[in-house]
Amino acid sequence: MERLLDYFIPEKYVLNLNVDKHKKTIGGEVTVFGAAKSDVIKFHAVGLKISKVLIENFEVEFLQRENLLILNLENLKDKVEFSKLKVTIFYEGKLNENMQGAYLSTYEHNGKTETIVATQFESHYAREAFPCIDEPAAKAVFELSITTPDDDDLILANVPMGEPTPRMSTYLLAFVIGKFHGKTITNKHGVKITTYAALNQDIDSVDFANEVAAKSLEFYDDNFGVKYPLEKLDQVALPDFEAGAMENWGLVTYRESMMLIGKNATLSAKKSVALTVAHELSHQWFGDLVTMEWWDDLWLNESFASVMEYFAVDHIHPEYKIFEGFFTGDSYSALMRDAYKDVQSVHQDVHDPAEIATLFDSAIVYSKGARLMLMLIRLMGWDNFCKGLRDYFEKHKYENTVGDDLWESLKPYAEFDPGKLMHAFIDKPGYPVIMEDGSQRRFLLDGPLKQETWPIPEITEDMSGHYILDLSDADFEKRVKNFDNLGLEEKIRLLIDRNLVAKTELASSASLMGLLKKFENESSAAVWGIVASIISGLKIFFEPGSNEEKKFKKFVGELVSPKLSEIGLATRKNDDENTIRLRTILLGLDYYAETEENLRKLAEMYNEDYSKLEAELRESILDAKLYFCPEVIDDYLDAYKKISDPELKFELLFAGTLAKDEKALEKMMGLLGNVEVVKPQDQLYLFVYLYRNTKTRRKAFSWMRENWDEIKKMAGDKSLDSYPRYVANVLRTEEEFKEYQKFFEPMANDPALSRAIEIGLREIEARLKLIAADREAVIKTLK
């Protein structure tokens, strides 16, 4: 792939921009100072109309071709100094509406539509807002000035207008223009933190993110050695945002649900926001201060941020027991995704710009990478690991690195070679299953388990290493009998590993049925989280609506009944974090079981004033009310249109997708593609939840097939491959598989979709093979 840095090395950008949200335009002049390395220099410029270019004070001819601005300097050799070049570009462009580049966002307030301009430049979308060398290694200083026709709009950027930023990559430049309100605090290290929300959001909903941000920066300052280098940090919740959040240096942007915590927020929402804030702020070092040289080392940003968020939140809120969620969530999803032949590796080569967006695989670059970092941290010890990080940040601050730069910084503080160990796990996909005799095989869900080895310094039964253990039946039963005496991580590993090997020739899915009954009196929410995953995996063996499915639901209801009766349906005053989390898991399983006695009790707690519903039960109450009164869907959708609280909006929408009534589901189907009601950022999740409902699965697939061109416009680059991925997660019949093949295989050569489609095909084939092999035994065991 061509690198424009080979032609020109930028040192500084001076941007004087005119941004008009009413005309939907952006433009002005960009002056770039730097060094030319050849007679021809090139800038990225996508969708921009260049009107004039000056080299120093000489107007030059230019060529726009294939999203590039090309300048020939041959006639200026005797007139300008190539090593100190000044290039001024005059241009015009359009503000996008697809949540990338410089884009428009809206919200309703006091009967009026308010419009915001925001930016999302990662991974390679700065080129859609201004001409630049849009590559992570092309670090430069930026001075930004913006004029806008609305004098009362707030204008935010990485640093105050006109001031120079630190030396950084183009994808980290950011600005937000619009009407917001916010709150400011100063942390113990003197950093001013201001967190903003749209005017239709409760001003107090920013308090939690402010508090977590202040303490996260302190935690990272203390452990990373190099202090946060800016005087301020702004955080902004945006009404329209494709991802969860973005780590723009000094101006972090968020999806509203990932930053705002209302008065009636659940514990789960608080944990999610805390992790998201801590994740983005760790990027102020991993990614912003020190940046990967190219996108193949994206893991240097994301894998570290994905583990550091847990260390920070565990420090700030130890009562959250946040690492339990890491083991039952991130670790489990990494093991599931990494068990297919064609999955990407953590370090993944990039050969086409369209491939960059596909690198952001949450289960691999984020979750698997974080799992590997935790393995390394535990082998080195936290203090030694941080010593190496301090050297790394001090040596490479404001520069670009590759993975080996990090391993070299860590090496003096380890009793082993970190690079040798980590290359084995990061540079290739997959992980081993360790057999009873100690030998290794690559664990695969879509193929035979062939011998392949990874360096594992120490085999433990906690959650440290990225491998699974294949225990003999006798050893497994011995551990199950001794389950109460095992450590929590040992319990989690035992269940995760068994659940995985039961999807291969190593064990039968039927063996999981008897295993589940042993946990009906279990008190750990983490253990029940894995039990719920096992139950979810067993659903594939039962035809929807069949007698076998009814018996399985009855089995699940009986399984959760003892513990649910013990802790009660309603929240109690002295409930601890574990009990709150446990009740949520059990109520979800009980809803699947359709235990009508409990559902009626929950439905009776319903109140049309949703603010009066107990926060931790709210979702279950909404689901139960709709179960018995499908006409309440109209109230849910009316409320969804009017309220601003992002958590409640999600709960109302999610409840509607669970409906069993045909008329209610028709109303939910009518929201697909209706961006006036359900914003583009939420359309993917609406589709996924409707697709998971067996009553709307075929209709949802048909909608996707018939509206694919609109979906491509609506979904950002990072979201499009989620459609073949999430669809593949659910399919379980040959007929559905043929539909999947017919629709997606013609797109298999599209670099933005190819990997997701290939893995999706393998995943479905493996699932169909498992159903054929184990269904009879599972049903027999159930009986």
Side-chain angles (χ1 to χ4, degrees):
M1 191 189 309
E2 184 180 41
R3 306 282 179 89
L4 302 197
L5 196 59
D6 293 335
Y7 304 98
F8 182 78
I9 302 173
E11 296 174 1
K12 181 179 179 180
Y13 291 80
V14 177
L15 299 98
N16 293 298
L17 303 184
N18 303 309
V19 181
D20 191 326
K21 64 187 182 185
H22 308 290
K23 295 180 180 179
K24 301 182 180 180
T25 58
I26 181 173
E29 64 179 82
V30 177
T31 301
V32 192
F33 299 87
K37 299 174 69 177
S38 75
D39 294 348
V40 175
I41 62 174
K42 303 179 182 182
F43 294 87
H44 294 106
V46 176
L48 305 179
K49 183 180 179 181
I50 310 300
S51 57
K52 185 168 69 172
V53 178
L54 300 178
I55 303 292
E56 302 299 340
N57 295 318
F58 300 99
E59 185 170 349
V60 297
E61 293 184 357
F62 58 87
L63 176 66
Q64 280 192 268
R65 185 179 63 200
E66 297 177 348
N67 296 323
L68 295 176
L69 168 63
I70 304 171
L71 306 177
N72 192 323
L73 309 181
E74 189 172 358
N75 295 332
L76 296 175
K77 281 184 176 180
D78 299 328
K79 299 177 182 179
V80 299
E81 188 174 345
F82 276 29
S83 62
K84 295 181 179 179
L85 207 62
K86 174 185 174 184
V87 182
T88 303
I89 306 166
F90 299 83
Y91 78 101
E92 291 181 354
K94 291 287 187 181
L95 295 173
N96 297 326
E97 297 187 31
N98 62 352
M99 296 176 286
Q100 68 186 40
Y103 70 92
L104 296 165
S105 173
T106 61
Y107 67 91
E108 301 297 319
H109 179 59
N110 291 340
K112 180 183 176 184
T113 299
E114 296 288 350
T115 302
I116 294 167
V117 179
T119 59
Q120 173 59 39
F121 290 163
E122 190 184 32
S123 50
H124 54 300
Y125 309 123
R127 63 191 70 180
E128 298 181 15
F130 65 98
C132 57
I133 309 295
D134 199 12
E135 298 167 359
K139 285 195 167 186
V141 172
F142 297 83
E143 289 184 11
L144 175 64
S145 296
I146 294 176
T147 58
T148 178
D150 299 272
D151 293 336
D152 55 345
D153 273 353
L154 181 69
I155 303 178
L156 302 172
N158 306 81
V159 296
M161 283 291 128
E163 291 187 12
T165 68
R167 188 170 181 271
M168 66 185 195
S169 304
T170 48
Y171 79 86
L172 295 169
L173 186 69
F175 56 85
V176 175
I177 305 167
K179 294 178 176 59
F180 300 92
H181 53 183
K183 290 187 176 184
T184 301
I185 62 174
T186 302
N187 78 352
K188 293 179 181 178
H189 296 172
V191 179
K192 187 173 77 170
I193 300 158
T194 308
T195 304
Y196 297 92
L199 299 179
N200 64 343
Q201 298 290 352
D202 182 354
I203 183 63
D204 293 333
S205 65
V206 305
D207 290 341
F208 184 78
N210 248 352
E211 172 233 335
V212 174
K215 293 179 180 178
S216 293
L217 288 181
E218 293 164 6
F219 176 79
Y220 296 139
D221 274 352
D222 292 341
N223 287 282
F224 295 166
V226 176
K227 302 293 186 184
Y228 176 74
L230 303 181
E231 294 181 1
K232 65 92 173 175
L233 168 71
D234 292 336
Q235 302 186 109
V236 187
L238 296 172
D240 298 276
F241 198 81
E242 183 194 2
M246 177 60 207
E247 66 268 18
N248 314 299
W249 214 350
L251 177 60
V252 182
T253 48
Y254 297 84
R255 181 181 285 241
E256 288 180 329
S257 60
M258 293 289 100
M259 195 197 84
L260 303 178
I261 289 295
K263 293 182 176 65
N264 296 311
T266 61
L267 176 62
S268 174
K270 291 176 182 177
K271 288 182 178 182
S272 177
V273 167
L275 287 171
T276 303
V277 172
H279 179 103
E280 301 309 321
L281 297 195
S282 74
H283 273 313
Q284 308 299 295
W285 286 263
F286 292 105
D288 296 6
L289 181 69
V290 181
T291 311
M292 75 271 155
E293 188 170 297
W294 185 242
W295 295 107
D296 55 349
D297 276 318
L298 176 66
W299 65 271
L300 274 172
N301 291 12
E302 299 301 347
S303 298
F304 275 90
S306 296
V307 74
M308 284 302 158
E309 64 185 81
Y310 283 93
F311 280 98
V313 174
D314 190 50
H315 171 78
I316 298 166
H317 288 289
E319 73 279 9
Y320 285 178
K321 300 179 181 177
I322 203 71
F323 270 103
E324 290 187 18
F326 178 79
F327 298 133
T328 60
D330 290 62
S331 294
Y332 183 64
S333 66
L335 289 166
M336 287 293 293
R337 184 72 172 168
D338 205 24
Y340 294 98
K341 288 178 184 174
D342 294 312
V343 72
Q344 72 179 65
S345 53
V346 174
H347 175 274
Q348 182 69 41
D349 290 339
V350 179
H351 304 290
D352 187 289
E355 293 178 346
I356 296 174
T358 71
L359 293 176
F360 293 79
D361 186 325
S362 60
I364 300 298
V365 172
Y366 292 72
S367 296
K368 177 184 176 180
R371 185 166 161 80
L372 296 176
M373 293 309 113
L374 181 64
M375 175 178 73
L376 181 61
I377 291 168
R378 287 186 167 182
L379 286 169
M380 292 184 64
W382 174 257
D383 290 342
N384 283 333
F385 183 75
C386 286
K387 288 176 183 176
L389 285 188
R390 292 183 193 116
D391 290 353
Y392 175 72
F393 288 131
E394 188 60 45
K395 181 177 180 179
H396 299 290
K397 59 187 177 184
Y398 308 111
E399 302 293 341
N400 296 86
T401 60
V402 295
D404 283 339
D405 294 317
L406 177 63
W407 310 141
E408 284 302 310
S409 294
L410 295 175
K411 192 173 182 179
Y413 306 100
E415 296 178 357
F416 57 94
D417 186 340
K420 184 177 180 181
L421 172 67
M422 298 306 287
H423 274 299
F425 281 94
I426 284 175
D427 291 344
K428 68 178 182 179
Y431 59 90
V433 53
I434 299 174
M435 312 303 290
E436 190 178 0
D437 62 3
S439 64
Q440 297 182 27
R441 300 180 192 175
R442 180 177 175 185
F443 183 79
L444 290 169
L445 294 173
D446 62 338
L449 309 185
K450 295 182 179 179
Q451 188 165 352
E452 191 172 344
T453 58
W454 281 258
I456 300 176
E458 181 184 8
I459 297 174
T460 65
E461 295 189 15
D462 61 12
M463 289 295 291
S464 296
H466 190 55
Y467 53 81
I468 61 174
L469 304 174
D470 177 41
L471 302 175
S472 67
D473 289 343
D475 281 345
F476 180 74
E477 286 300 324
K478 182 178 178 181
R479 283 169 172 76
V480 171
K481 288 180 181 178
N482 190 44
F483 196 78
D484 290 344
N485 296 319
L486 299 178
L488 180 60
E489 289 186 38
E490 293 174 309
K491 292 179 179 180
I492 294 171
R493 173 178 282 286
L494 185 68
L495 293 178
I496 287 178
D497 290 3
R498 189 63 172 189
N499 188 29
L500 286 166
V501 298
K503 300 178 188 299
T504 70
E505 69 268 22
L506 296 175
S508 167
S509 301
S511 67
L512 298 172
M513 295 293 297
L515 174 65
L516 290 174
K517 287 294 289 181
K518 300 179 186 296
F519 299 104
E520 60 184 3
N521 293 310
E522 175 62 44
S523 296
S524 166
V527 171
W528 268 103
I530 302 302
V531 169
S533 296
I534 294 173
I535 290 171
S536 180
L538 288 169
K539 292 177 186 178
I540 65 172
F541 297 107
F542 307 103
E543 290 290 332
S546 66
N547 287 331
E548 287 87 358
E549 187 192 48
K550 292 175 183 175
K551 291 176 182 176
F552 182 63
K553 287 185 175 185
K554 184 173 183 289
F555 168 80
V556 172
E558 291 172 351
L559 182 67
V560 303
S561 180
K563 185 53 64 174
L564 190 54
S565 297
E566 178 186 326
I567 66 174
L569 294 179
T571 305
R572 297 171 179 174
K573 185 177 181 180
N574 295 323
D575 284 344
D576 59 10
E577 182 276 342
N578 181 76
T579 304
I580 292 171
R581 189 157 40 105
L582 176 59
R583 183 181 291 108
T584 299
I585 295 169
L586 296 179
L587 287 175
L589 291 171
D590 204 49
Y591 180 86
Y592 168 74
E594 298 186 59
T595 307
E596 292 203 354
E597 179 184 356
N598 290 337
L599 289 175
R600 288 192 185 280
K601 290 178 181 177
L602 289 165
E604 289 169 2
M605 300 179 193
Y606 178 75
N607 191 312
E608 292 180 358
D609 182 352
Y610 301 135
S611 66
K612 294 181 180 179
L613 297 178
E614 166 58 44
E616 301 297 343
L617 296 177
R618 189 172 55 226
E619 187 174 317
S620 295
I621 292 169
L622 293 171
D623 296 345
K625 183 66 175 178
L626 187 60
Y627 182 90
F628 292 109
C629 305
E631 64 274 9
V632 82
I633 189 66
D634 294 324
D635 296 332
Y636 289 8
L637 295 182
D638 285 344
Y640 180 85
K641 295 172 187 176
K642 295 174 183 176
I643 63 173
S644 301
D645 183 303
E647 185 180 16
L648 179 54
K649 282 179 78 76
F650 171 80
E651 290 169 347
L652 290 165
L653 194 67
F654 178 66
T657 65
L658 294 179
K660 302 182 183 300
D661 177 75
E662 294 294 338
K663 291 183 179 179
L665 287 172
E666 279 300 315
K667 292 178 179 179
M668 296 303 300
M669 284 294 302
L671 297 177
L672 286 172
N674 185 349
V675 296
E676 297 299 317
V677 178
V678 179
K679 284 177 172 284
Q681 66 174 8
D682 299 318
Q683 284 284 333
L684 169 64
Y685 303 104
L686 174 63
F687 167 78
V688 169
Y689 293 128
L690 285 170
Y691 191 78
R692 287 176 178 171
N693 187 327
T694 56
K695 291 180 178 292
T696 47
R697 182 168 300 164
R698 293 187 66 84
K699 291 180 180 178
F701 190 91
S702 295
W703 175 85
M704 177 189 68
R705 183 175 55 211
E706 294 163 9
N707 294 276
W708 186 249
D709 288 340
E710 287 303 311
I711 289 172
K712 287 196 290 185
K713 294 176 185 176
M714 185 169 55
D717 285 354
K718 295 179 189 176
S719 298
L720 190 60
D721 69 343
S722 296
Y723 283 86
R725 178 184 303 180
Y726 283 122
V727 169
N729 289 164
V730 178
L731 291 187
R732 52 170 133 165
T733 70
E734 289 286 352
E735 184 180 1
E736 292 169 340
F737 184 33
K738 289 176 182 177
E739 285 186 334
Y740 185 95
Q741 289 175 302
K742 184 177 179 180
F743 182 65
F744 283 116
E745 281 188 339
M747 308 177 201
N749 292 325
D750 183 341
L753 295 170
S754 57
R755 187 179 293 115
I757 293 171
E758 181 62 32
I759 298 174
L761 292 169
R762 290 189 176 279
E763 182 179 351
I764 299 165
E765 287 176 335
R767 187 179 303 116
L768 293 177
K769 183 179 178 181
L770 181 64
I771 292 171
D774 286 7
R775 183 174 185 272
E776 186 177 337
V778 169
I779 291 174
K780 183 178 179 181
T781 304
L782 175 63
K783 290 178 180 178

